[in-house]
Amino acid sequence: NNMFKKYKNNWSKNLKKNVLTWIIGFLIMMISNYIVITLITKKLTINEEIIREMYNNYIISTIIINVLIVPFLEEMVFRLGFNEINNKYIYILSSSILFAFLHIIGSLESILSILYILPYFAIGMTLGIIYYRSQNIFDSILIHAIHNLVVLIFYFIF
């Protein structure tokens, strides 16, 4: 309740700063994703393949799940779940590494496939920075939802 009240009072001020942070993280994610997929592995992660298949077959429920439910659940686990870590750098690194690893775990087929961790790590760090800076889970949930929505729009455009 307290977090939500604080969020309501500061959301517009924080949103500008958080969107800028996300744009930087998103660009790093896109560049690393391009390098890993195009130049090294030549294929998508299993996580990405499943999501694309869900979009193609169950578009409405997949949008609801990926834009509303997943950001809430993942931010509760990966940001609040590490809240006891008092060191900023250890907090951001550990939550980001686990976030990335759990998104690629089904795709680890060779030593090169560990590179799939880079794009997920970039967005995980971005969300970790946003949460750590504001100390409000609603900031990272909103940016995570925006991220998933933008990725969905890009999927349908490209």
Side-chain angles (χ1 to χ4, degrees):
N1 265 345
N2 287 339
M3 254 193 220
F4 189 69
K5 287 176 186 173
K6 286 179 186 176
Y7 176 74
K8 281 188 348 185
N9 294 332
N10 298 316
W11 77 271
S12 63
K13 180 182 85 174
N14 288 348
L15 186 62
K16 292 175 189 171
K17 186 170 32 173
N18 292 339
V19 167
L20 180 60
T21 303
W22 171 76
I23 288 170
I24 294 165
F26 184 72
L27 290 173
I28 294 168
M29 182 200 83
M30 294 297 287
I31 291 166
S32 63
N33 205 28
Y34 176 80
I35 291 168
V36 171
I37 292 173
T38 306
L39 302 177
I40 300 171
T41 64
K42 306 280 191 249
K43 45 192 249 192
L44 298 171
T45 63
I46 299 221
N47 179 59
E48 189 64 31
E49 288 176 2
I50 290 169
I51 291 171
R52 288 178 181 205
E53 186 176 324
M54 289 173 63
Y55 283 142
N56 292 333
N57 296 319
Y58 312 102
I59 188 163
I60 302 299
S61 59
T62 304
I63 291 169
I64 291 168
I65 290 167
N66 285 333
V67 175
L68 299 176
I69 297 170
V70 166
F72 178 80
L73 293 175
E74 287 187 351
E75 293 309 303
M76 296 302 270
V77 170
F78 296 112
R79 282 357 120 202
L80 285 184
F82 286 77
N83 215 17
E84 297 299 315
I85 299 173
N86 293 324
N87 182 292
K88 173 183 180 178
Y89 302 103
I90 293 173
Y91 166 80
I92 292 171
L93 284 173
S94 59
S95 68
S96 303
I97 288 169
L98 185 60
F99 176 85
F101 182 73
L102 290 178
H103 279 84
I104 68 155
I105 195 164
S107 300
L108 295 175
E109 299 170 351
S110 70
I111 195 70
L112 278 180
S113 62
I114 195 70
L115 294 172
Y116 283 130
I117 206 166
L118 296 174
Y120 290 107
F121 180 75
I123 201 63
M125 275 197 64
T126 301
L127 295 167
I129 289 166
I130 288 168
Y131 171 73
Y132 197 87
R133 185 173 54 211
S134 71
Q135 290 297 301
N136 195 309
I137 196 66
F138 294 103
D139 284 314
S140 60
I141 290 171
L142 177 63
I143 296 301
H144 195 151
I146 290 169
H147 171 79
N148 286 2
L149 180 62
V150 168
V151 169
L152 166 69
I153 291 167
F154 278 16
Y155 172 69
F156 285 111
I157 291 174
F158 301 108

